[in-house]
Amino acid sequence: MKFKPLDKIKTLEEAEFEILSAEQKLKNLPQRVIKEVLLLTGLAIIFPFLPGRRGRRPMIENWDYQDALIFVVIIFVITFLLFHSWRKNKINKRLRELKLKKHLLDKQKFK
């Protein structure tokens, strides 16, 4: 999710293009969420069988499968919710900054 720096935006058209781009990213966020949830579900099912770092035994050897699965799902959900809210706030902040930049460019144009 790369954005063009605000100081590089010099014209009203560039600002409008960046606003449309940020709005499109915000609009496409729910579709990305569906894909990411499906991916995380697959990983959560497999994760208890994977060995840990430095040759540690897999979780399935220490815990029951349903306990390991519940633990992994809780960790994944918390991480996903934090990351999703961070990403959404970043796009919204960028959108506010771009609208301000567009307003300032528009105001400067009429002076």
Side-chain angles (χ1 to χ4, degrees), residues 34 90 93 98:
I34 292 171
K90 183 178 176 183
K93 181 181 175 188
L98 286 168

Side-chain angles (χ1 to χ4, degrees), residues 35-85:
K35 292 176 188 175
E36 291 166 353
V37 166
L38 291 174
L39 177 69
L40 286 176
T41 302
L43 286 174
I45 292 171
I46 296 171
F47 193 78
F49 294 105
L50 298 176
R53 288 188 284 168
R54 299 184 206 132
R56 287 187 183 164
R57 297 183 308 179
M59 290 175 81
I60 197 74
E61 291 182 12
N62 297 331
W63 296 1
D64 291 335
Y65 179 69
Q66 50 274 33
D67 294 338
L69 185 64
I70 290 170
F71 176 75
V72 169
V73 166
I74 289 171
I75 297 298
F76 280 3
V77 165
I78 291 170
T79 305
F80 178 76
L81 289 175
L82 289 173
F83 181 71
H84 177 71
S85 65

Side-chain angles (χ1 to χ4, degrees), residues 7-9 12 15 18 28 35 39-40 50 58 62 67-68 77 81-82 88 92 96 101 104:
D7 57 348
K8 298 282 184 187
I9 299 173
L12 198 57
E18 289 290 324
N28 290 339
K35 292 176 188 175
L39 177 69
L40 286 176
L50 298 176
N62 297 331
D67 294 338
V77 165
L81 289 175
L82 289 173
K88 190 173 180 180
N92 281 330
R96 285 190 306 271
K101 180 73 172 183
L104 293 174

